[in-house]
Amino acid sequence: MIRNAQMDALAEAAFEHYLVAHLRRHFAGPLEGCGEASLRALVRRALRRAAAYGVSSRAGLCRYVDLSVALGEGFEDGPEHAWAAEILAGPGTGDARVEELAGEAVRRLADRVLRPEE
């Protein structure tokens, strides 16, 4: 008989496997040369950070992991992304905050692309 803790561990491992494949698919260029063990470790660290912000849905966790690759691991700690730390510390659920964070990241990227600094 499989216990609940075992089922949880299996589900967690399957989700981690999904995230690694997802990152390989969507961030192939930036992750070129990143080994399997390194990528798994990055995913685990990002999941721990996301959980610390109260992110709990699979979609929210995936979004945070994506942002960790796109903006750099620990992005919210850097002065260039102080806006991210403000959003993550703001009101609402962790999942709502990560959605707001993703929207702001896209907006800022679009601003940079459409209005590059000269």
Side-chain angles (χ1 to χ4, degrees):
M1 174 180 240
I2 297 178
R3 300 183 195 281
N4 286 342
Q6 292 170 314
M7 288 298 293
D8 291 345
L10 287 172
E12 188 176 313
F15 184 55
E16 183 181 294
H17 179 77
Y18 164 81
L19 288 172
V20 168
H22 167 84
L23 291 175
R24 290 274 187 221
R25 216 173 21 258
H26 296 286
F27 294 92
L31 294 174
E32 186 177 350
C34 183
E36 184 75 14
S38 295
L39 188 53
R40 279 195 186 282
L42 182 147
V43 165
R44 287 182 187 132
R45 289 189 303 271
L47 288 173
R48 280 194 300 272
R49 288 181 77 99
Y53 290 115
V55 181
S56 59
S57 73
R58 299 278 186 190
L61 292 166
C62 184
R63 183 76 52 133
Y64 185 89
V65 170
D66 286 349
L67 289 166
S68 292
V69 172
L71 300 176
E73 189 174 1
F75 61 90
E76 67 273 26
D77 294 333
E80 67 277 10
H81 299 302
W83 55 270
E86 289 176 24
I87 291 171
L88 288 168
T93 67
D95 291 308
R97 289 191 310 266
V98 84
E99 284 304 313
E100 180 184 350
L101 177 65
E104 181 64 14
V106 168
R107 186 190 68 72
R108 286 173 179 264
L109 177 61
D111 283 351
R112 253 192 5 217
V113 169
L114 296 174
R115 295 184 271 276
E117 296 179 34
E118 296 179 40

